[in-house]
Amino acid sequence: MGTNWDTLRPILLDAVGQTLWMVAATMVVGGFLGLLLGIALYSTRPGGILANRPVHTVLNVAVNIVRPIPFIIFITAIGPVTIAVVGTQLGTGAATFALIAAATFGISRIVEQNLVTIDPGVIEAARAMGASPWRIITTLLVPEALGPLILGYTFVFVAVVDMSAVAGAIGGGGLGDFAIVYGYQRFNWGVTAVAVAIIIVLVQVAQFAGNRLARRVLRR
């Protein structure tokens, strides 16, 4: 039996919109929170500009606990928190909350690893000139690591698209839900292929844009 695209097209467009919303919200909110957490991890490490061993240990342990958890397990494990914040464990809003939480911890480690590569001598020189920790962070650390950070965020974008599809498996909406409900469960491989193709295009566009932007920044 053929696929009735007149019926499925509006549903597909809604699914694309849901995926784009989940990914965009995650990259903006999770990206910002992950940047702050990553800077905190780097700054509070021993020898850092805000060295604080107890704080660094707590943050480091928290990131190490959350990061390895597979997203499909993570999204169910934080169900009570999601319900308390969003009011439900199902739907795009609930999935977005879980995506933001997972992305925050993942991005923080990428930020920390990129900041570690900055020459300590440059930071010491800034400190010797009397620059405050906040000034060092905003005018030295982030600008120096901007190119690699863009590449790191591009990698995270691809991962978030993947996680948004996983969220569809438990009622999170988006292209993952569309592919499962109207493709896999109905043995309609054409519908699944369309959903996969859209995801591939989305990822390729983001990867191209991220690589190009990073090259521009690194050339400065």
Side-chain angles (χ1 to χ4, degrees), residues 1 32 42 56 84 91 97 122 153 170 201:
M1 187 172 68
F32 178 71
Y42 172 80
H56 181 266
F97 175 80
V122 177
Y153 273 73
I170 55 174
V201 170

Side-chain angles (χ1 to χ4, degrees), residues 9-219:
R9 190 175 294 109
I11 301 174
L12 174 61
L13 292 177
D14 284 343
V16 172
Q18 290 170 352
T19 293
L20 291 175
W21 163 252
M22 287 190 286
V23 174
T26 299
M27 292 305 299
V28 172
V29 181
F32 178 71
L33 295 177
L35 178 65
L36 294 181
L37 181 55
I39 291 173
L41 280 166
Y42 172 80
S43 301
T44 58
R45 63 194 296 125
I49 57 177
L50 295 171
N52 189 313
R53 186 179 295 274
V55 172
H56 181 266
T57 299
V58 171
L59 295 178
N60 194 50
V61 170
V63 172
N64 286 341
I65 290 174
V66 175
R67 274 188 69 222
I69 303 175
F71 183 67
I72 196 167
I73 297 176
F74 178 79
I75 196 173
T76 55
I78 66 168
V81 179
T82 303
I83 293 172
V85 174
V86 183
T88 178
Q89 195 178 353
L90 300 174
T92 303
T96 303
F97 175 80
L99 284 166
I100 290 172
T104 296
F105 288 95
I107 290 171
S108 68
R109 190 63 79 191
I110 291 176
V111 172
E112 180 196 22
Q113 290 171 349
N114 279 293
L115 294 179
V116 168
T117 63
I118 298 175
D119 184 3
V122 177
I123 299 173
E124 287 303 319
R127 295 176 73 175
M129 294 174 63
S132 65
W134 174 250
R135 186 172 180 82
I136 292 174
I137 290 170
T138 56
T139 64
L140 178 61
L141 290 180
V142 174
E144 280 290 319
L146 187 57
L149 282 175
I150 291 173
L151 293 176
Y153 273 73
T154 302
F155 172 81
V156 172
F157 181 94
V158 176
V160 170
V161 172
D162 176 55
M163 291 190 296
S164 72
V166 173
I170 55 174
L175 286 168
D177 181 72
F178 177 82
I180 291 170
V181 174
Y182 297 98
Y184 176 75
Q185 292 180 354
R186 300 185 183 186
F187 301 99
N188 192 329
W189 310 122
V191 169
T192 303
V194 168
V196 170
I198 293 174
I199 290 174
I200 291 174
V201 170
L202 180 62
V203 167
Q204 291 299 320
V205 170
Q207 189 70 62
F208 174 80
N211 290 345
R212 187 168 183 176
L213 182 58
R215 282 197 300 269
R216 286 188 177 183
V217 171
L218 290 171
R219 286 173 183 170

